Amino acid sequence: MNFVEELTWRGMLHTIMPGTEEMLNKGMASGYIGFDPTADSLHVGHLTQIMTLIHFQRAGHKPFALVGGATGMVGDPSGKSQERNLLSEDVLQHNLEAVKAQLTRFLDFDSGMNSAEMVNNYDWFKSFTFLDFIRDVGKHITVNYMMAKDSVKKRLEGDTGMSFTEFTYQLVQGYDFYYLWKHHNCTIQMGGSDQWGNIVTGTELIRRKDAGEAFALTTQLIKKADGTKFGKTESGAVWLDPERTSPYQFYQFWLNTTDVDAKAYIRIFTLYDREVIEAWEAEHDAAPHTRVLQKALAKDITIRVHGEAEYEKAIKSSEFLFGNVGIEFLSELNDAEVLALFAGVPNFTISLTELHEGISITDLLAVKTTIFPSKGEAKKTIIGGGASINKVKIATADDVYNADALLNGKFIVAQKGKKNYFLIVAE
């Protein structure tokens, strides 16, 4: 497998330094991508770089995942309109451990010569004094060179300016490349296209400081076909941590991809080979309503991030809401999973004490909650057979419900028609 050709047909390659492909074709090379621990989980925006390392390793090369314990203390100005808040050492350490655990699920750390390795740049910066840094690193890169970078120019031209801390970020990242080149034989750094300036600073430092040769490659920044930011939903970022984004919500994010985006994403975010993908694309073009691309995309990524069992549960969750899976399925979920399943529908809270005493169905649907605008409207719909509790049609408008109706001792699922769900939580 040719690494550059693989990225190219998948639509991932953005910029490549001359000589890079020739260097990679000579044999096993070592290369790295950095991940700053600004949160205690990676999100789907990081998946492009994770996939880049996966392809790099599958092509027979040795991947290094750099977790930025030091650079996370500084903050990368690339693509940012203002300086971000600095994190404490305790928070950074917590984030580092979480990110490390996630990365180990994607890369093979026991494959022999090209086993993946994880490094933390805090290990080589913790004893590096400021005076040593400006003498041994700063003298090799001119201010003119640093100010010519787009990430710097945009900030200097803006209203907020740039602190010296962020201005020096490219030197810090450049030294990372130098250190890994010097001590781990890393000859290539990869990253998103917004990292090009920082990456080539590293190659320049290697050249000026030790007359060495290093290479660079960047991937496309992923956007939706409509130009909006990839990886964002109404509720925020889509995280890899199931505590932040449930496997069901994660699965739905990919399943709800547009047809145009699905054709791009299935190449970028899955490991299916070209023939399989092109066959699915032809099948999709012939019958778009089957959503074959979205289903294959969502399946592959959900299994690799959350595992087969969570994927199966996500399928059943979808069928519960949109198919024929019965109410008993909720007993397989914990409280957090139930709330995640109904995160996109109206939620209401009622008194557990009142429920023990019994609440008439019209009060439950129109007084204790606002599922219906009035008791009269609720009664009319019930008589017409259009309202259900726990997937069972309400028999009469005079029915009274008590705590026996609670699922998992806490929830009641109401429906108005077949598709309009409401979750009632008893507290």
Side-chain angles (χ1 to χ4, degrees):
M1 170 181 156
N2 181 293
F3 175 61
V4 174
E5 289 179 1
E6 188 75 10
L7 295 190
T8 301
W9 80 258
R10 290 182 180 274
M12 297 173 68
L13 188 64
H14 185 272
T15 309
I16 183 169
M17 185 174 284
T20 300
E21 188 169 10
E22 291 78 5
M23 180 274 294
L24 292 172
N25 288 340
K26 290 178 181 177
M28 187 185 80
S30 296
Y32 86 98
I33 293 177
F35 299 87
D36 276 351
T38 51
D40 61 0
S41 173
L42 299 172
H43 51 72
V44 295
H46 293 108
L47 278 176
T48 308
Q49 300 317 315
I50 292 173
M51 294 305 300
T52 302
L53 286 181
I54 291 172
H55 291 306
F56 191 70
Q57 186 171 38
R58 292 176 76 223
H61 303 298
K62 184 178 180 66
F64 283 79
L66 183 149
V67 184
T71 39
M73 292 181 171
V74 178
D76 181 3
S78 301
K80 309 291 190 303
S81 59
Q82 60 185 10
E83 188 158 350
R84 66 189 181 193
N85 295 328
L86 301 183
L87 303 177
S88 69
E89 285 193 45
D90 288 345
V91 171
L92 271 171
Q93 190 57 42
H94 168 73
N95 292 353
L96 278 168
E97 295 305 317
V99 169
K100 281 182 180 179
Q102 290 181 336
L103 287 173
T104 57
R105 302 203 321 248
F106 296 96
L107 298 169
D108 189 344
F109 288 81
D110 188 26
S111 61
M113 290 288 290
N114 75 326
S115 292
E117 290 190 30
M118 198 169 300
V119 290
N120 179 355
N121 59 10
Y122 184 72
D123 292 338
W124 54 84
F125 272 114
K126 62 186 176 184
S127 57
F128 207 167
T129 68
F130 176 71
L131 288 176
D132 286 340
F133 184 78
I134 60 174
R135 184 191 65 189
D136 296 341
V137 179
K139 71 175 182 179
H140 294 288
I141 304 295
T142 67
V143 171
N144 308 60
Y145 179 90
M146 295 172 69
M147 290 185 68
K149 296 298 169 62
D150 286 341
S151 60
V152 174
K153 286 195 293 186
K154 287 178 182 177
R155 286 289 292 278
L156 292 178
E157 293 168 0
D159 297 329
T160 59
M162 174 183 275
S163 70
F164 176 74
T165 302
E166 283 198 327
F167 180 63
T168 60
Y169 185 93
Q170 63 175 293
L171 284 183
V172 175
Q173 185 172 329
Y175 185 76
D176 282 343
F177 197 178
Y178 173 82
Y179 183 92
L180 292 173
W181 173 84
K182 186 84 170 176
H183 298 279
H184 294 279
N185 196 33
C186 277
T187 53
I188 179 171
Q189 183 185 169
M190 299 160 283
S193 60
D194 60 337
Q195 290 296 307
W196 182 255
N198 292 338
I199 293 173
V200 296
T201 296
T203 64
E204 190 69 6
L205 181 62
I206 290 166
R207 184 183 68 81
R208 295 186 183 187
K209 186 170 170 59
D210 276 14
E213 186 177 36
F215 300 89
L217 179 152
T218 60
T219 54
Q220 303 280 357
L221 291 182
I222 309 303
K223 289 187 177 181
K224 295 180 181 178
D226 62 6
T228 58
K229 192 167 184 178
F230 166 75
K232 293 285 187 179
T233 66
E234 290 183 5
S235 56
V238 179
W239 301 91
L240 306 192
D241 184 346
E243 297 298 319
R244 286 173 170 260
T245 300
S246 74
Y248 168 73
Q249 292 168 324
F250 185 85
Y251 172 78
Q252 287 293 320
F253 169 78
W254 299 103
L255 191 65
N256 291 328
T257 301
T258 66
D259 290 347
V260 174
D261 287 331
K263 288 185 176 182
Y265 295 170
I266 198 164
R267 291 170 178 247
I268 296 168
F269 297 113
T270 77
L271 295 176
Y272 297 122
D273 61 37
R274 189 169 190 169
E275 291 73 20
V276 170
I277 290 175
E278 288 177 349
W280 274 331
E281 287 173 340
E283 185 180 343
H284 178 88
D285 289 341
H289 64 280
T290 62
R291 299 181 68 77
V292 64
L293 287 178
Q294 286 91 337
K295 290 175 182 176
L297 172 67
K299 178 180 180 179
D300 182 78
I301 301 180
T302 303
I303 289 176
R304 278 190 293 116
V305 172
H306 295 296
E308 187 89 34
E310 291 299 335
Y311 163 72
E312 295 295 342
K313 193 181 289 185
I315 291 290
K316 289 185 72 174
S317 295
S318 297
E319 291 175 348
F320 173 82
L321 292 176
F322 308 112
N324 298 316
V325 172
I327 198 70
E328 65 279 357
F329 168 66
L330 291 192
S331 65
E332 299 177 23
L333 308 181
N334 60 38
D335 287 358
E337 289 172 329
V338 172
L339 291 171
L341 176 61
F342 289 96
V345 305
N347 284 211
F348 301 96
T349 302
I350 61 170
S351 165
L352 181 58
T353 302
E354 285 187 77
L355 189 60
H356 275 294
E357 295 171 356
I359 301 176
S360 73
I361 187 59
T362 51
D363 279 348
L364 181 65
L365 298 179
V367 178
K368 303 301 180 183
T369 68
T370 56
I371 294 172
F372 287 91
S374 67
K375 293 172 71 171
E377 186 69 25
K379 184 175 181 179
K380 179 181 176 181
T381 303
I382 291 168
I383 293 172
S388 302
I389 292 292
N390 297 336
K391 289 209 167 186
V392 177
K393 284 188 179 180
I394 301 165
T396 73
D398 298 320
D399 284 3
V400 174
Y401 284 79
N402 57 33
D404 292 340
L406 290 174
L407 304 168
N408 299 1
K410 190 169 185 176
F411 305 105
I412 294 174
V413 177
Q415 283 172 270
K416 186 196 298 184
K418 286 187 176 182
K419 295 183 179 180
N420 295 314
Y421 280 90
F422 305 87
L423 184 67
I424 302 171
V425 183
E427 296 180 345

